Amino acid sequence: MDEILITGLTFQGYHGCLPEERKAPQPFIIDLALRLDLSAAAATDDLTNTVDYDKVCLITAAVVEGIPRNLIETVASSVCDALLREFAPLASVAVTLHKPQAPVRRNFSDIAVHMERVRHE
C-alpha cells in the first residue's frame, strides 16, 4: 500500500479536561499517514486519482480548531473518521496528535497519541 505523509500541521485549539485549557488556545501538531493505492495517480499524473492535500489539511483544521474535546484521543479519532468519510480511495488513516504544552508537572519534550483507522467495507 502506498502512503502520503503530511507532517507538522500546526493548529490552535482548546482541547483538555482542565478549565484553563479551555480559556486560551494552545498548539496542537498533527502528523498524517494516508494509505491508498497511488498507481493510477502516478500513471496518469491526475489529481483526481489521489487525495487533495489542501483539502486534507482543511478537514483536519476543521476538527482540531473546532469543538473543544476533553481528550486528544477523541480529537485524533475524529480526524481519522472525517478523512475516511471524505476520501473514498483511502484504505486507512494514521494520525499522530501532539500536545506539546500539555499541563503535566514534569519536564517533557512531547505528549502525543497515535491511532490508525482502517476502512471496513
Side-chain angles (χ1 to χ4, degrees):
M1 188 62 48
D2 303 312
E3 197 169 56
I4 295 171
L5 302 173
I6 302 174
T7 60
L9 289 171
T10 303
F11 306 102
Q12 296 291 310
Y14 295 86
H15 310 290
C17 295
L18 303 176
E20 57 267 24
E21 294 178 286
R22 300 293 182 100
K23 291 179 186 170
Q26 56 188 307
F28 294 89
I29 302 164
I30 300 265
D31 300 324
L32 301 171
L34 311 172
R35 294 184 185 96
L36 66 160
D37 182 356
L38 293 171
S39 58
T44 64
D45 198 30
D46 186 343
L47 178 61
T48 62
N49 290 317
T50 185
V51 297
D52 183 330
Y53 311 149
D54 187 53
K55 193 169 184 182
V56 168
C57 295
L58 290 173
I59 291 167
T60 303
V63 173
V64 180
E65 295 173 344
I67 299 167
R69 304 294 186 175
N70 288 328
L71 303 176
I72 60 174
E73 291 86 337
T74 305
V75 178
S77 180
S78 296
V79 169
C80 288
D81 294 344
L83 293 174
L84 284 170
R85 246 188 335 269
E86 183 64 31
F87 300 104
L90 291 178
S92 69
V93 175
V95 171
T96 303
L97 191 152
H98 306 265
K99 187 174 181 178
Q101 294 180 5
V104 175
R105 292 178 282 183
R106 294 285 185 239
N107 290 332
F108 67 94
S109 60
D110 190 24
I111 290 179
V113 298
H114 176 84
M115 62 180 55
E116 182 173 349
R117 296 292 180 264
V118 176
R119 182 178 306 282
H120 298 285
E121 294 186 282

